[in-house]
Amino acid sequence: MKTHVDEIPRWSTSSLGGAADPSPAELSTLTAQMDECKESRGRFFVLQCAVDTVSGFVVGHFVTTLILVALLIAIISFLL
């Protein structure tokens, strides 16, 4: 016996067939969460991002970084 399978997927959402617009309470909660995220950054957020970027580069290019540091040390030692 064959069963009939629909070709079109049917999705079930929590909006129960209505518009999936956020309610004012959800928007208020989202705004409060976003404000908390902004405040948690702190004064040194930009510095932390810069350090993370440099750290990511160094880890990703470890051998290249070692060669550059060795080259820099050699150049400084010859100049002194």
Side-chain angles (χ1 to χ4, degrees):
M1 173 182 245
K2 287 187 175 182
T3 59
H4 179 59
V5 178
D6 290 334
E7 295 291 325
I8 301 171
R10 300 193 185 266
W11 300 100
S12 175
T13 63
S14 62
S15 64
L16 301 175
D21 294 331
S23 69
E26 291 171 332
L27 289 176
S28 174
T29 304
L30 179 62
T31 302
Q33 177 66 33
M34 295 299 288
D35 289 341
E36 284 181 32
C37 288
K38 282 185 207 174
E39 291 171 4
S40 69
R41 287 175 163 187
R43 302 182 326 192
F44 298 109
F45 181 72
V46 174
L47 181 62
Q48 180 182 357
C49 288
V51 169
D52 286 344
T53 301
V54 170
S55 175
F57 176 80
V58 170
V59 169
H61 301 90
F62 184 71
V63 173
T64 305
T65 303
L66 286 178
I67 291 171
L68 289 176
V69 168
L71 185 62
L72 183 64
I73 290 172
I75 290 172
I76 290 173
S77 67
F78 284 124
L79 293 177
L80 296 175

